[in-house]
């Protein structure tokens, strides 16, 4: 009787690991199929997001997964995202500059219009090449997923819950480090902070799916902070564009206005962070842990 109960428990534990991982695998497969049917703006973006989330799930479950298949799937998810990077960047730049044009004066729009035309031509060319070969060359992933899920080891509910606390602590430590670097407000430091916030958010979402419903408030706070950092990143990209364009009075006026907007956006981002009580509490706890060790 005890042996049967023990065997049943192990099966449930094995199923838990599979239950947590499979949705991320299915989403990557689904979004890849959408991209294969046509390299539209939304499918390309959603596949890149799905591949990032799968990597976070694999990182979380690393202690419970066979190392070889896990690493191969992790590398494949990264390769999928990078295979679409050029096309996605072109799409983002077109949208970014197009949206910015609506807020500019006629003289300022004249500065960016030639660059927008070049971006649109670049994006259209990438998409035409994708259509010509019927789909972008997105690496396959199904076989690697099947290989990983074929023989998952046992893992206990208690162990997974403990891993959650450890995993969130790792992401908070990473976020705390990037926050310190970002105090200098440099574009590269702020970009790294945005990536750290995104990784932290994905970790929270994974834990919520695993049963930690109390994290929903932290997810909303992190999503808001990520949005503000995203807008700041957009301003940095626009400023970099202007630095590469020919200097002209309208260019200088536009750059000055964008720098003022960037300063205001930094203040707004800091305000959102100051209101993120859950995140601040976690950062404070992490600092206490570091000072005690």
């Amino acid at each position: 009787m005890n042996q049967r109960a023990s065997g049943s428990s192990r099966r449930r534990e094995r199923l838990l690991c599979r239950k947590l991982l499979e949705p991320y695998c299915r989403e990557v497969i689904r979004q890849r199929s959408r991209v294969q049917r046509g390299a539209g703006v939304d499918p390309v973006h959603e596949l890149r997001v799905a591949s990032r989330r799968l990597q976070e799930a694999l990182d979380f479950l690393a202690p419970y997964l066979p190392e070889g298949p896990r690493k191969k799937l992790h590398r494949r998810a990264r390769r999928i995202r990078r295979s679409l990077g050029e096309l996605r960047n072109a799409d983002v730049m077109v949208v970014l500059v197009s949206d910015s044009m609506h807020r500019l004066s006629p003289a300022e729009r004249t500065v960016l219009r030639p660059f927008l035309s070049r971006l649109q031509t670049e994006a259209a060319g990438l998409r035409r090449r994708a259509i010509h070969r019927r789909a972008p060359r997105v690496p396959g992933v199904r076989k690697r997923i099947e290989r990983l899920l074929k023989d998952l080891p046992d893992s206990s509910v208690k162990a997974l819950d403990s891993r959650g606390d450890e995993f969130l602590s790792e992401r908070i430590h990473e976020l705390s480090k990037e926050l310190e670097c970002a105090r200098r407000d440099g574009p590269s430091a702020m970009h790294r902070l945005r990536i750290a916030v995104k990784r932290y958010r994905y970790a929270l979402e994974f834990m919520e799916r695993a049963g930690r419903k109390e994290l929903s408030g932290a997810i909303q706070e992190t999503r808001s902070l990520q949005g503000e950092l995203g807008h700041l990143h957009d301003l940095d990209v626009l400023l970099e564009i202007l630095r590469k364009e020919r200097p002209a009075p309208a260019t200088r006026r536009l750059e000055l206005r964008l720098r003022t907007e960037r300063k205001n956006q930094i203040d707004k981002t800091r305000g959102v962070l100051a209101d993120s009580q859950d995140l601040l509490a976690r950062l404070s706890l992490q600092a206490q842990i570091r000072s005690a060790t």
Side-chain angles (χ1 to χ4, degrees), residues 125-136:
L126 290 169
R127 199 150 267 111
R128 276 197 303 273
R129 289 199 291 274
I131 293 172
H132 180 70
R133 60 176 182 256
R134 296 189 178 181

Side-chain angles (χ1 to χ4, degrees), residues 178-189:
E178 296 302 340
L179 270 171
E180 186 62 33
C181 293
R183 295 184 192 280
R184 295 186 293 273
D185 298 340
S188 61

Side-chain angles (χ1 to χ4, degrees), residues 13-14 16-18 20-21 57-70 148-149 151-167 206-207:
E13 291 160 0
R14 219 172 16 246
L16 174 62
C17 206
R18 180 182 294 271
L20 290 172
L21 185 58
L58 291 170
D59 286 343
F60 177 92
L61 294 170
Y64 316 108
L65 299 176
E67 184 177 10
R70 183 193 68 82
L148 177 63
L149 296 178
D151 188 24
L152 292 179
D154 294 341
S155 56
S156 70
V157 177
K158 183 177 180 180
L160 286 173
D161 195 49
S162 175
R163 171 61 178 159
D165 293 333
E166 176 189 1
F167 192 63
F206 183 91
M207 288 302 301

Side-chain angles (χ1 to χ4, degrees), residues 17-291:
C17 206
R18 180 182 294 271
K19 181 180 178 181
L20 290 172
L21 185 58
E22 276 188 332
Y24 294 92
C25 296
R26 287 197 301 268
E27 183 65 7
V28 168
I29 291 173
R30 185 175 77 86
Q31 296 298 343
R32 182 179 180 276
S33 295
R34 289 182 67 204
V35 171
Q36 292 294 100
R37 293 194 296 269
V41 175
D42 288 341
V44 167
H45 172 61
E46 294 298 333
L47 177 54
R48 282 170 55 83
V49 170
S51 69
R52 282 189 182 277
R53 285 189 166 128
L54 175 58
Q55 285 182 280
E56 284 298 303
L58 291 170
D59 286 343
F60 177 92
L61 294 170
Y64 316 108
L65 299 176
E67 184 177 10
R70 183 193 68 82
K71 286 186 175 180
K72 286 183 178 180
L73 181 55
H74 197 283
R75 287 195 297 268
R76 180 53 54 90
R78 182 175 63 244
R79 186 179 164 200
I80 286 173
R81 187 172 64 258
R82 290 179 175 176
S83 73
L84 298 168
E86 186 179 15
L87 181 54
R88 176 59 185 167
N89 288 341
D91 286 338
V92 168
M93 292 293 286
V94 168
V95 172
L96 173 59
V97 177
S98 298
D99 288 348
S100 299
M101 297 275 276
H102 298 302
R103 307 195 306 270
L104 305 180
S105 69
E108 290 170 336
R109 285 198 291 271
T110 301
V111 174
L112 285 182
R113 193 168 287 118
F115 186 77
L116 177 60
S117 296
R118 293 200 301 273
L119 287 174
Q120 290 171 329
T121 300
E122 178 187 348
L126 290 169
R127 199 150 267 111
R128 276 197 303 273
R129 289 199 291 274
I131 293 172
H132 180 70
R133 60 176 182 256
R134 296 189 178 181
R137 292 175 182 170
V138 182
V141 71
R142 188 182 297 271
K143 288 184 179 180
R144 296 197 179 208
I145 287 174
E146 291 174 349
R147 197 171 299 128
L148 177 63
L149 296 178
K150 182 180 178 182
D151 188 24
L152 292 179
D154 294 341
S155 56
S156 70
V157 177
K158 183 177 180 180
L160 286 173
D161 195 49
S162 175
R163 171 61 178 159
D165 293 333
E166 176 189 1
F167 192 63
L168 286 180
S169 179
E170 291 172 4
R171 291 292 177 260
I172 280 288
H173 177 72
E174 174 185 313
L175 183 53
S176 180
K177 178 182 175 182
E178 296 302 340
L179 270 171
E180 186 62 33
C181 293
R183 295 184 192 280
R184 295 186 293 273
D185 298 340
S188 61
M190 299 303 286
H191 176 64
R192 290 195 303 273
L193 175 59
R194 185 172 68 95
I195 297 300
V197 169
K198 184 183 298 186
R199 282 164 60 85
Y200 175 59
R201 174 190 160 190
Y202 290 163
L204 289 171
E205 289 175 344
F206 183 91
M207 288 302 301
E208 184 185 41
R209 180 173 287 186
R212 300 280 290 273
K213 301 303 181 185
E214 75 276 9
L215 296 176
S216 59
I219 292 171
Q220 292 300 324
E221 290 180 352
T222 308
R223 184 179 289 118
S224 177
L225 179 58
Q226 183 182 333
E228 298 302 336
L229 286 166
H231 183 48
L232 182 60
H233 176 66
D234 291 347
L235 290 170
D236 285 332
V237 171
L238 280 174
L239 285 166
E240 182 63 26
I241 289 171
L242 289 176
R243 279 193 286 270
K244 294 178 180 178
E245 295 299 294
R246 291 180 180 177
T251 304
R252 288 193 289 272
R253 286 195 300 271
L254 176 56
E255 183 176 355
L256 182 62
R257 190 160 75 81
L258 289 175
R259 287 192 180 281
T260 300
E261 187 176 344
R262 183 184 188 275
K263 182 178 181 301
N264 293 336
Q265 182 59 31
I266 287 175
D267 292 339
K268 185 178 179 182
T269 302
R270 285 173 173 161
V272 171
L273 178 59
D275 291 337
S276 301
Q277 298 302 319
D278 185 273
L279 178 56
L280 288 173
R282 290 174 179 272
L283 288 169
S284 176
L285 178 61
Q286 185 68 35
Q288 293 174 29
I289 292 172
R290 284 203 306 273
S291 64

